[in-house]
Amino acid sequence: MTASQRGFTLVELMITTAILAMFSATALGLAVRSKQEHAMVSSYQRDLLECRAVLRSIEANVRAAHRVAVAPDRMELTIAAQRVVYHVADGQLCLIDEQGEQVLAHCIESLLVTNRGSLVELTLKVRSQKREAARRSATLVTRVTMRNWEGEK
């Protein structure tokens, strides 16, 4: 062979193209999976932010409450002669007050309320809405002191 006839054979080019195609397919698969995982994590983070905001709202109502009654997945508050009920049903945290029932969050697995006198501990178990194999969950806990607590009667 002379210097002007050097180059790659067809077989070498086909092998190189096949290897490049495998690397490209792997990289594309990783990029697609990464995007899906990012979407799931972002959705879960939005759920957590929503639940934290709901928990702050509940804290404000507990602080203003005169009385609290507790049952599994349910809490009833008396605030200035008005009844406010929080309960969990079908994965939703709902509020019942004089305006009717409204859904506050869609990602709640359970609501646990413990009260010792004027001290109320709220525990929300949050779960991801997605049905993926690696289901995510978190527990949000806060302690609130009722400012207007009337005591045991």
Side-chain angles (χ1 to χ4, degrees):
M1 262 189 194
T2 64
S4 63
Q5 294 178 335
R6 287 192 184 157
F8 297 107
T9 65
L10 183 58
V11 173
E12 290 172 330
L13 290 174
M14 289 176 62
I15 290 172
T16 304
T17 304
I19 291 171
L20 184 61
M22 286 190 296
F23 282 135
S24 297
T26 302
L28 182 63
L30 288 173
V32 168
R33 180 66 186 142
S34 175
K35 185 173 174 132
Q36 290 171 340
E37 185 67 24
H38 180 268
M40 287 188 294
V41 169
S42 294
S43 172
Y44 181 63
Q45 287 176 335
R46 277 191 304 276
D47 290 346
L48 279 178
L49 286 173
E50 173 187 333
C51 290
R52 285 185 183 123
V54 166
L55 191 58
R56 283 192 297 274
S57 169
I58 295 171
E59 285 176 11
N61 278 343
V62 169
R63 276 190 193 94
H66 300 281
R67 290 195 184 126
V68 62
V70 176
D73 285 332
R74 184 179 176 90
M75 174 177 65
E76 184 174 327
L77 303 172
T78 304
I79 305 169
Q82 294 180 359
R83 188 176 138 251
V84 177
V85 177
Y86 293 94
H87 71 95
V88 175
D90 299 323
Q92 298 179 334
L93 178 63
C94 301
L95 166 68
I96 303 171
D97 59 10
E98 71 276 353
Q99 298 168 349
E101 183 170 8
Q102 59 184 346
V103 176
L104 300 177
H106 299 277
C107 52
I108 303 298
E109 193 170 300
S110 65
L111 168 66
L112 176 65
V113 182
T114 308
N115 75 313
R116 293 177 188 92
S118 65
L119 181 65
V120 177
E121 182 176 279
L122 303 167
T123 305
L124 285 178
K125 186 155 187 188
V126 182
R127 62 166 166 70
S128 60
Q129 293 182 17
K130 304 284 184 188
R131 301 274 185 222
E132 74 269 5
R135 200 175 188 124
R136 293 171 174 81
S137 66
T139 303
L140 304 176
V141 180
T142 187
R143 290 181 182 91
V144 184
T145 301
M146 296 169 54
R147 292 183 184 144
N148 300 318
W149 186 58
E150 293 179 351
E152 300 297 324
K153 295 204 178 199

